[in-house]
Amino acid sequence: MTVASIVERLRAAGCVFAEEEADLLVGAATDDGHLAGMVARRVAGEPLEHVVGWAEFGGLRVQVGAGAFVPRRRTEFLVQEAVVLTRPGGVVLDLCCGVGALGAAVASQVPGGVELHAADIDPAALTYARRNVAPYGGSVWEGDLYAALPTELRGRVDVLVVNAPYVPTEEIGFMPPEARDHEPLVSLDGGADGLDVHRRVAEEAVRWLAPGGHLLIETSARQSPVTASALTAGRLAVRAVTSEELYATVVIGRAPVV
Protein backbone atom coordinates (compact mmCIF):
# COMPACT_ATOMS: atom_id res chain seq x y z
CA MET A 1 0.00 0.00 0.00
CA THR A 2 1.63 3.25 -1.15
CA VAL A 3 1.26 6.61 0.51
CA ALA A 4 -0.39 7.93 -2.64
CA SER A 5 -3.03 5.18 -2.55
CA ILE A 6 -3.68 5.86 1.14
CA VAL A 7 -4.13 9.57 0.45
CA GLU A 8 -6.54 8.75 -2.37
CA ARG A 9 -8.65 6.52 -0.11
CA LEU A 10 -8.68 9.09 2.69
CA ARG A 11 -9.71 11.88 0.34
CA ALA A 12 -12.51 9.75 -1.07
CA ALA A 13 -13.72 9.19 2.50
CA GLY A 14 -13.84 12.96 3.08
CA CYS A 15 -10.65 13.45 5.12
CA VAL A 16 -9.66 17.10 4.66
CA PHE A 17 -6.06 16.61 5.75
CA ALA A 18 -5.48 13.36 3.87
CA GLU A 19 -1.74 13.86 3.32
CA GLU A 20 -1.02 14.58 6.98
CA GLU A 21 -3.20 11.69 8.11
CA ALA A 22 -1.49 9.31 5.71
CA ASP A 23 1.90 10.22 7.16
CA LEU A 24 0.64 9.58 10.70
CA LEU A 25 -0.86 6.23 9.76
CA VAL A 26 2.34 5.11 8.03
CA GLY A 27 4.39 6.21 11.03
CA ALA A 28 2.19 4.28 13.46
CA ALA A 29 2.05 1.05 11.44
CA THR A 30 4.12 -1.94 12.52
CA ASP A 31 3.75 -3.75 9.19
CA ASP A 32 1.74 -3.68 5.97
CA GLY A 33 -1.15 -5.63 7.45
CA HIS A 34 -1.38 -3.29 10.40
CA LEU A 35 -1.31 -0.30 8.07
CA ALA A 36 -4.09 -1.71 5.90
CA GLY A 37 -6.21 -2.29 8.97
CA MET A 38 -5.68 1.22 10.27
CA VAL A 39 -6.52 2.77 6.91
CA ALA A 40 -9.71 0.74 6.77
CA ARG A 41 -10.72 1.90 10.24
CA ARG A 42 -10.08 5.54 9.36
CA VAL A 43 -11.96 5.27 6.06
CA ALA A 44 -14.89 3.78 7.97
CA GLY A 45 -15.02 6.97 10.06
CA GLU A 46 -13.15 6.10 13.23
CA PRO A 47 -11.30 9.09 14.72
CA LEU A 48 -7.68 9.26 13.64
CA GLU A 49 -6.57 9.45 17.26
CA HIS A 50 -8.34 6.19 18.07
CA VAL A 51 -6.68 4.54 15.11
CA VAL A 52 -3.10 5.62 15.85
CA GLY A 53 -3.56 5.38 19.63
CA TRP A 54 -2.59 8.89 20.67
CA ALA A 55 -3.59 12.53 20.50
CA GLU A 56 -1.37 15.59 20.56
CA PHE A 57 -2.40 17.78 23.50
CA GLY A 58 -0.59 20.42 25.49
CA GLY A 59 2.79 19.43 24.11
CA LEU A 60 2.23 15.78 24.97
CA ARG A 61 1.25 12.63 23.14
CA VAL A 62 -1.57 11.35 25.32
CA GLN A 63 -2.76 7.80 24.87
CA VAL A 64 -6.33 7.30 23.63
CA GLY A 65 -8.24 4.45 22.06
CA ALA A 66 -11.59 3.13 20.89
CA GLY A 67 -14.46 4.37 23.02
CA ALA A 68 -12.51 7.20 24.66
CA PHE A 69 -13.14 10.93 24.40
CA VAL A 70 -10.44 12.61 22.32
CA PRO A 71 -9.07 15.76 24.01
CA ARG A 72 -9.75 18.87 21.93
CA ARG A 73 -7.10 21.39 21.02
CA ARG A 74 -9.26 24.26 22.31
CA THR A 75 -8.98 22.76 25.80
CA GLU A 76 -5.28 23.64 25.75
CA PHE A 77 -6.47 27.15 26.70
CA LEU A 78 -7.78 25.77 30.01
CA VAL A 79 -4.38 24.17 30.57
CA GLN A 80 -2.62 27.49 29.94
CA GLU A 81 -4.83 29.27 32.47
CA ALA A 82 -4.43 26.50 35.03
CA VAL A 83 -0.63 26.47 34.81
CA VAL A 84 -0.55 30.18 35.68
CA LEU A 85 -2.54 29.46 38.84
CA THR A 86 -0.65 26.34 39.94
CA ARG A 87 2.25 26.58 42.38
CA PRO A 88 5.00 23.95 42.44
CA GLY A 89 3.85 21.08 44.63
CA GLY A 90 0.23 22.22 44.51
CA VAL A 91 -2.66 19.76 44.52
CA VAL A 92 -4.24 19.49 41.06
CA LEU A 93 -7.47 17.58 40.45
CA ASP A 94 -8.62 16.71 36.93
CA LEU A 95 -12.34 15.98 37.40
CA CYS A 96 -14.29 14.35 34.55
CA CYS A 97 -10.78 13.54 33.42
CA GLY A 98 -11.48 11.18 30.54
CA VAL A 99 -8.02 10.01 29.46
CA GLY A 100 -6.38 12.40 31.94
CA ALA A 101 -5.07 14.81 29.32
CA LEU A 102 -5.69 18.03 31.26
CA GLY A 103 -4.06 16.87 34.46
CA ALA A 104 -1.07 15.42 32.65
CA ALA A 105 -0.58 18.58 30.59
CA VAL A 106 -0.75 20.84 33.66
CA ALA A 107 1.62 18.61 35.63
CA SER A 108 4.10 18.55 32.75
CA GLN A 109 4.28 22.37 32.65
CA VAL A 110 4.58 23.24 36.34
CA PRO A 111 8.23 23.46 37.45
CA GLY A 112 8.86 21.07 40.31
CA GLY A 113 5.71 19.08 39.59
CA VAL A 114 2.39 18.80 41.41
CA GLU A 115 0.36 16.36 43.47
CA LEU A 116 -1.90 15.11 40.69
CA HIS A 117 -5.28 13.41 40.99
CA ALA A 118 -7.71 12.44 38.21
CA ALA A 119 -11.25 11.08 38.44
CA ASP A 120 -13.93 9.92 36.03
CA ILE A 121 -17.00 7.68 35.93
CA ASP A 122 -15.91 5.83 32.77
CA PRO A 123 -13.66 2.82 33.52
CA ALA A 124 -12.61 2.52 29.87
CA ALA A 125 -11.31 6.09 29.82
CA LEU A 126 -9.48 5.54 33.10
CA THR A 127 -7.47 2.74 31.51
CA TYR A 128 -5.79 5.42 29.41
CA ALA A 129 -5.79 8.02 32.20
CA ARG A 130 -3.65 5.79 34.40
CA ARG A 131 -1.03 5.59 31.66
CA ASN A 132 -1.13 9.31 30.94
CA VAL A 133 -0.76 10.53 34.52
CA ALA A 134 1.73 7.86 35.61
CA PRO A 135 4.82 9.86 34.51
CA TYR A 136 3.74 12.59 36.95
CA GLY A 137 2.96 10.32 39.87
CA GLY A 138 -0.76 10.85 39.42
CA SER A 139 -3.49 8.97 41.29
CA VAL A 140 -6.65 7.91 39.44
CA TRP A 141 -10.08 7.48 41.03
CA GLU A 142 -13.24 5.95 39.56
CA GLY A 143 -16.70 7.21 40.38
CA ASP A 144 -19.32 9.92 39.93
CA LEU A 145 -17.66 13.33 40.34
CA TYR A 146 -16.57 14.00 43.94
CA ALA A 147 -17.92 10.63 45.16
CA ALA A 148 -14.88 9.07 43.50
CA LEU A 149 -12.42 10.97 45.68
CA PRO A 150 -10.76 9.99 48.96
CA THR A 151 -11.92 12.15 51.86
CA GLU A 152 -8.30 13.16 52.47
CA LEU A 153 -8.54 15.45 49.45
CA ARG A 154 -11.38 17.52 50.88
CA GLY A 155 -10.29 21.12 51.40
CA ARG A 156 -6.86 20.51 49.84
CA VAL A 157 -7.33 21.02 46.08
CA ASP A 158 -5.46 24.09 44.87
CA VAL A 159 -6.45 23.84 41.20
CA LEU A 160 -9.51 21.93 39.98
CA VAL A 161 -9.65 21.55 36.18
CA VAL A 162 -12.85 20.35 34.55
CA ASN A 163 -13.80 19.60 30.97
CA ALA A 164 -17.26 18.22 31.68
CA PRO A 165 -19.77 17.60 28.88
CA TYR A 166 -21.62 20.78 27.90
CA VAL A 167 -23.44 19.86 24.69
CA PRO A 168 -27.26 20.04 25.09
CA THR A 169 -28.88 16.64 24.58
CA GLU A 170 -30.86 17.76 21.53
CA GLU A 171 -27.68 19.02 19.84
CA ILE A 172 -25.74 15.74 20.05
CA GLY A 173 -27.11 14.75 16.67
CA PHE A 174 -25.45 17.79 15.07
CA MET A 175 -21.99 16.81 16.23
CA PRO A 176 -19.49 15.34 13.73
CA PRO A 177 -19.94 11.58 13.27
CA GLU A 178 -16.46 10.97 14.67
CA ALA A 179 -17.67 12.26 18.02
CA ARG A 180 -21.27 11.12 18.21
CA ASP A 181 -20.58 7.63 16.83
CA HIS A 182 -17.25 6.84 18.46
CA GLU A 183 -17.03 8.73 21.76
CA PRO A 184 -19.02 7.79 24.88
CA LEU A 185 -22.30 9.67 25.33
CA VAL A 186 -21.43 10.34 28.96
CA SER A 187 -18.55 12.54 27.79
CA LEU A 188 -20.73 14.54 25.37
CA ASP A 189 -24.26 14.91 26.77
CA GLY A 190 -24.65 17.77 29.21
CA GLY A 191 -28.41 17.51 29.67
CA ALA A 192 -31.26 19.75 28.52
CA ASP A 193 -29.25 22.99 28.37
CA GLY A 194 -25.84 21.30 28.37
CA LEU A 195 -24.88 22.44 31.85
CA ASP A 196 -26.23 19.79 34.23
CA VAL A 197 -22.75 18.55 35.13
CA HIS A 198 -21.42 22.10 35.49
CA ARG A 199 -24.03 22.77 38.16
CA ARG A 200 -23.14 19.59 40.04
CA VAL A 201 -19.42 20.39 39.90
CA ALA A 202 -20.01 23.95 41.11
CA GLU A 203 -22.35 22.94 43.93
CA GLU A 204 -19.73 20.97 45.83
CA ALA A 205 -16.48 22.55 44.62
CA VAL A 206 -15.94 24.80 47.62
CA ARG A 207 -15.88 21.76 49.93
CA TRP A 208 -12.92 20.31 48.06
CA LEU A 209 -10.97 23.44 47.18
CA ALA A 210 -8.29 24.75 49.48
CA PRO A 211 -8.81 28.31 50.76
CA GLY A 212 -8.17 30.54 47.75
CA GLY A 213 -8.12 27.54 45.42
CA HIS A 214 -9.38 27.76 41.85
CA LEU A 215 -11.90 25.88 39.75
CA LEU A 216 -11.46 26.17 35.98
CA ILE A 217 -14.22 24.80 33.76
CA GLU A 218 -14.49 24.85 29.98
CA THR A 219 -17.76 26.08 28.50
CA SER A 220 -18.97 27.87 25.39
CA ALA A 221 -19.20 31.63 24.93
CA ARG A 222 -22.99 31.29 24.67
CA GLN A 223 -23.28 29.19 27.83
CA SER A 224 -20.65 30.99 29.91
CA PRO A 225 -23.11 33.27 31.77
CA VAL A 226 -25.03 30.23 33.05
CA THR A 227 -21.83 28.38 33.97
CA ALA A 228 -20.64 31.53 35.77
CA SER A 229 -23.94 31.77 37.67
CA ALA A 230 -23.55 28.18 38.83
CA LEU A 231 -20.08 28.92 40.21
CA THR A 232 -21.33 32.08 41.89
CA ALA A 233 -24.12 30.09 43.52
CA GLY A 234 -21.40 27.74 44.76
CA ARG A 235 -19.84 30.65 46.71
CA LEU A 236 -16.93 31.19 44.32
CA ALA A 237 -15.64 34.53 43.04
CA VAL A 238 -16.01 34.24 39.28
CA ARG A 239 -14.42 35.55 36.10
CA ALA A 240 -14.49 34.34 32.50
CA VAL A 241 -11.61 34.31 30.02
CA THR A 242 -11.60 33.61 26.30
CA SER A 243 -9.15 32.74 23.54
CA GLU A 244 -10.09 33.95 20.08
CA GLU A 245 -7.28 31.86 18.62
CA LEU A 246 -8.60 28.58 20.03
CA TYR A 247 -12.29 29.56 20.12
CA ALA A 248 -12.25 28.64 23.78
CA THR A 249 -14.00 29.95 26.89
CA VAL A 250 -13.09 29.10 30.47
CA VAL A 251 -14.94 30.17 33.60
CA ILE A 252 -12.72 30.46 36.67
CA GLY A 253 -13.97 30.44 40.24
CA ARG A 254 -11.90 31.23 43.34
CA ALA A 255 -12.77 29.80 46.73
CA PRO A 256 -13.00 32.09 49.76
CA VAL A 257 -9.71 32.55 51.59
CA VAL A 258 -11.39 32.17 54.97
Side-chain angles (χ1 to χ4, degrees):
M1 180 175 288
T2 66
V3 174
S5 67
I6 296 171
V7 170
E8 184 177 353
R9 289 189 64 186
L10 294 174
R11 281 178 177 164
C15 298
V16 177
F17 303 103
E19 291 85 356
E20 292 86 345
E21 292 196 13
D23 288 340
L24 290 172
L25 291 167
V26 170
T30 56
D31 54 44
D32 289 345
H34 186 210
L35 176 60
M38 289 195 298
V39 172
R41 289 170 61 191
R42 181 60 181 138
V43 168
E46 195 168 340
L48 178 67
E49 294 84 357
H50 286 179
V51 175
V52 299
W54 58 270
E56 184 179 348
F57 182 82
L60 304 176
R61 279 192 176 188
V62 297
Q63 295 188 40
V64 298
F69 180 82
V70 177
R72 313 300 200 238
R73 293 300 296 271
R74 65 174 172 268
T75 309
E76 292 180 349
F77 179 60
L78 191 156
V79 172
Q80 295 167 17
E81 295 295 315
V83 169
V84 172
L85 297 171
T86 305
R87 60 178 174 81
V91 178
V92 174
L93 170 60
D94 183 355
L95 196 63
C96 303
C97 71
V99 300
L102 273 74
V106 172
S108 73
Q109 296 180 37
V110 175
V114 301
E115 179 184 327
L116 177 60
H117 297 266
D120 200 280
I121 199 171
D122 182 1
L126 292 180
T127 299
Y128 298 101
R130 290 184 181 92
R131 302 172 192 169
N132 289 323
V133 305
Y136 313 102
S139 298
V140 173
W141 311 98
E142 180 182 342
D144 185 19
L145 297 182
Y146 302 102
L149 305 176
T151 57
E152 292 79 6
L153 268 183
R154 187 168 294 174
R156 293 188 57 237
V157 178
D158 297 301
V159 175
L160 170 54
V161 294
V162 182
N163 185 20
Y166 56 92
V167 179
T169 302
E170 292 187 354
E171 296 181 18
I172 296 292
F174 300 111
M175 296 187 72
E178 288 184 7
R180 68 172 188 261
D181 294 340
H182 296 280
E183 294 180 328
L185 188 61
V186 70
S187 67
L188 304 175
D189 190 348
D193 68 350
L195 301 176
D196 286 355
V197 183
H198 286 200
R199 294 185 186 91
R200 293 182 59 210
V201 168
E203 185 178 7
E204 292 190 50
V206 75
R207 303 176 188 173
W208 294 87
L209 289 170
H214 291 86
L215 161 64
L216 300 91
I217 188 165
E218 180 177 293
T219 189
S220 70
R222 173 175 60 88
Q223 295 164 302
S224 61
V226 181
T227 298
S229 294
L231 269 62
T232 299
R235 296 188 290 131
L236 304 177
V238 180
R239 60 188 173 94
V241 291
T242 60
S243 167
E244 294 184 3
E245 178 186 0
L246 294 174
Y247 301 99
T249 299
V250 174
V251 174
I252 302 174
R254 184 172 185 263
V257 175
V258 179

